[in-house]
Amino acid sequence: MNNADFNTVTGRIFDIQRFSIHDGPGIRTTVFFKGCPLNCLWCHNPESINATPMLSFLPDKCIGCGYCFKVCPTGAHQMVDDKHIIDRAKCNSCGICTEECYAKALELVGKTVTVGEVVEEVLADVEFYKTSDGGMTLSGGEPLAQPVFCHALLTQAKAQKLHCCVDTCGQASWGSFEKILSLTDLFLFDVKETDPHRHKKNTGIDNVLIQENLKKLHDAGATIWIRIPLIPGCNDSEDNLQGMVKLFKKLPNIQAATIMPYHKLGQSKIDRFGLETRPVLETHPPSQQTISQWINTLGLAGVNVLNSEG
């Protein structure tokens, strides 16, 4: 496949975030893929789990013009007790209503794009990458849930000499990882839980394949930063912390780790995307004491923890 062919490969994304400083070194542009094999209770981008487009509705922005009622082909927009609601069972996410919403209360999240379109937007900030040692990061969702698109996008980015990161949950075939190994400068690899049973309880899938892929990447010489989400009541146990220590000892060439404290952004999106069937996570951000405990314990074990305690 030549460069022109790579440019026409399509995939589905839900956002491109410029001037990102938390998704790898330097100033970066992060491309958020739609679709993920995990269903983490604490996911802060729950709209990324389903691979198909989803309708976002922000009632506070609605001005009651009524155009969406007129154009919706399925009658999903309804007025109940003088309140504009969406019958999600009727909505087919066609997006017609968003085209008539002048107040921008409605938005279709998730679109099909070509590699060429994405690379063109990423290259708009190339001067910032040069001065900050930044580049492009693929995130999600899960980039390797769309392996052809992921590979093509990395191929074109490397052709432009961009530094490339892949933020992955690890739940993908090893063959998909092998194809992008030489194109990826840094893997941001999420390790959520070391116990397979607790991992399945919290994400819907055990961590067997994830752990296998992490070891294979490590043994293949990939540059890896581990990212550990810290969620009270889910994975903040002493047992999991000690499991992390053992994991890093088995994989001594992992370059760094980052503790990622839980926040409630994902819960705030339940109404916006009609995700009322998702379990409500009854938890809170971890205390600074807990965060410090994890940072210090891993640090004493020889792990290069990137977090600042300030």
Side-chain angles (χ1 to χ4, degrees):
M1 185 180 292
N2 59 40
N3 283 347
D5 293 330
F6 274 119
N7 270 331
T8 61
V9 173
T10 61
R12 183 164 286 160
I13 66 172
F14 69 95
D15 195 15
I16 297 179
Q17 180 177 305
R18 297 168 67 178
F19 294 96
S20 174
I21 57 173
H22 299 295
D23 296 323
I27 296 172
R28 314 192 67 80
T29 296
T30 302
V31 183
F32 290 91
F33 283 49
K34 206 162 187 319
C36 183
L38 301 187
N39 190 4
C40 302
L41 294 176
W42 55 80
C43 183
H44 64 278
N45 285 328
E47 73 275 24
S48 73
I49 297 172
N50 193 319
T52 59
M54 299 178 68
L55 183 65
S56 163
F57 176 47
L58 296 172
D60 290 346
K61 285 189 173 184
C62 179
I63 59 175
C65 66
Y67 286 111
C68 57
F69 289 81
K70 296 176 182 178
V71 300
C72 178
T74 63
H77 293 272
Q78 300 176 5
M79 191 65 73
V80 177
D81 296 330
D82 295 322
K83 182 179 180 181
H84 181 181
I85 68 167
I86 299 173
D87 186 338
R88 296 286 177 170
K90 291 183 177 180
C91 178
N92 62 8
S93 298
C94 65
I96 294 175
C97 61
T98 67
E99 298 170 4
E100 300 296 329
C101 185
Y102 304 107
K104 305 299 181 183
L106 296 164
E107 178 188 5
L108 194 63
V109 176
K111 61 181 179 179
T112 299
V113 293
T114 67
V115 166
E117 289 171 334
V118 174
V119 171
E120 182 179 6
E121 184 162 349
V122 170
L123 289 176
D125 291 330
V126 68
E127 294 304 319
F128 294 103
Y129 311 147
K130 291 178 181 178
T131 57
S132 68
D133 294 326
M136 179 185 75
T137 296
L138 305 185
S139 186
E142 171 52 53
L144 288 169
Q146 300 181 61
V148 175
F149 182 57
C150 178
H151 176 260
L153 192 48
L154 289 170
T155 299
Q156 290 300 76
K158 293 309 293 181
Q160 298 295 329
K161 304 187 185 308
L162 296 183
H163 181 278
C164 294
C165 293
V166 174
D167 181 6
T168 177
C169 73
Q171 184 68 25
S173 71
W174 173 243
S176 296
F177 277 104
E178 276 191 308
K179 289 180 181 178
I180 67 167
L181 190 56
S182 64
L183 301 169
T184 305
D185 298 290
L186 173 64
F187 285 94
L188 305 175
F189 200 107
D190 293 351
V191 178
K192 308 169 193 299
E193 172 63 67
T194 54
D195 178 83
H197 301 292
R198 291 195 302 261
H199 195 282
K200 185 172 184 178
K201 178 182 177 181
N202 289 325
T203 72
I205 298 176
D206 64 41
N207 64 354
V208 175
L209 180 60
I210 293 170
Q211 295 278 335
E212 289 176 355
N213 285 332
L214 177 58
K215 185 178 187 305
K216 288 177 179 177
L217 282 177
H218 172 273
D219 293 349
T223 302
I224 304 169
W225 291 1
I226 295 295
R227 309 226 290 187
I228 306 171
L230 188 58
I231 299 88
C234 291
N235 74 337
D236 63 336
S237 67
E238 180 66 21
D239 182 61
N240 189 34
L241 176 54
Q242 294 305 317
M244 295 288 179
V245 170
K246 293 176 182 177
L247 177 68
F248 282 102
K249 287 183 177 179
K250 290 179 182 178
L251 306 174
N253 294 327
I254 289 176
Q255 189 177 91
T258 305
I259 305 298
M260 304 179 67
Y262 169 76
H263 56 71
K264 294 189 175 184
L265 177 61
Q267 294 295 310
S268 69
K269 294 181 178 181
I270 288 177
D271 290 339
R272 176 184 168 190
F273 289 99
L275 298 171
E276 288 81 4
T277 57
R278 279 186 64 81
V280 176
L281 186 60
E282 300 291 347
T283 190
H284 49 80
S287 66
Q288 185 58 51
Q289 181 180 0
T290 300
I291 297 170
S292 296
Q293 179 193 4
W294 278 64
I295 292 172
N296 294 335
T297 300
L298 292 173
L300 288 171
V303 180
N304 175 26
V305 184
L306 299 179
N307 296 69
S308 167
E309 293 196 62

